[in-house]
Amino acid sequence: MPSLRLDDDHTIQAIGILADVLDRFSGMTSLECTLVSKALRQVQQTRSQIGMDFASRAFATLEPDVRRRIADDATDAALEATSTMKLPKLRAPRPSAPPATGLLGAINNRGAKPRKPA
């Protein structure tokens, strides 16, 4: 699993945005989302790679459609945060494969539209 640069303030901010989205998630998986959110908050405080690995594994236990919704909501929240702070919007190259549904995909997702299964 590729690691994030936990010494980068933008990465820590993105982790916080994802944790905020997980805090607001409701439904049958809200307990699991709370677990992931708490793990991400711990990563924000400690910048621990071991904590990040745990949070990533916990996020991977969520259903794929739940992970996609969370990633979409986190992308919207990040875009809103950048427009509120008057930061330039980051543009990532369009992925040739379907967007990742893992924790790193949720953190790094920059507005790629999910593809419909064939």
Side-chain angles (χ1 to χ4, degrees):
M1 166 191 341
S3 62
L4 294 169
R5 288 194 45 222
L6 296 175
D7 61 340
D8 178 57
D9 290 335
H10 291 106
T11 299
I12 297 301
Q13 182 181 13
I15 289 170
I17 289 170
L18 183 57
D20 290 344
V21 169
L22 284 157
D23 284 340
R24 292 190 303 263
F25 200 83
S26 61
M28 292 177 44
T29 59
S30 63
L31 183 60
E32 291 88 350
C33 289
T34 300
L35 172 71
V36 178
S37 171
K38 298 256 185 236
L40 290 172
R41 299 276 183 218
Q42 187 70 24
V43 171
Q44 276 188 296
Q45 293 174 357
T46 64
R47 296 181 183 224
S48 162
Q49 186 60 50
I50 293 170
M52 190 67 209
D53 293 343
F54 174 80
S56 181
R57 286 191 305 274
F59 189 82
T61 65
L62 299 173
E63 295 291 323
D65 63 317
V66 172
R67 292 193 310 254
R68 276 190 287 283
R69 287 189 309 198
I70 291 168
D72 289 344
D73 289 353
T75 299
D76 292 343
L79 291 172
E80 183 177 316
T82 59
S83 67
T84 301
M85 292 185 288
K86 305 283 190 228
L87 297 175
K89 293 183 181 178
L90 300 175
R91 293 184 188 204
R94 286 224 171 265
S96 59
T101 58
L103 181 64
L104 293 177
I107 291 171
N108 291 321
N109 187 1
R110 297 234 184 353
K113 299 286 184 191
R115 295 183 181 185
K116 295 181 182 179

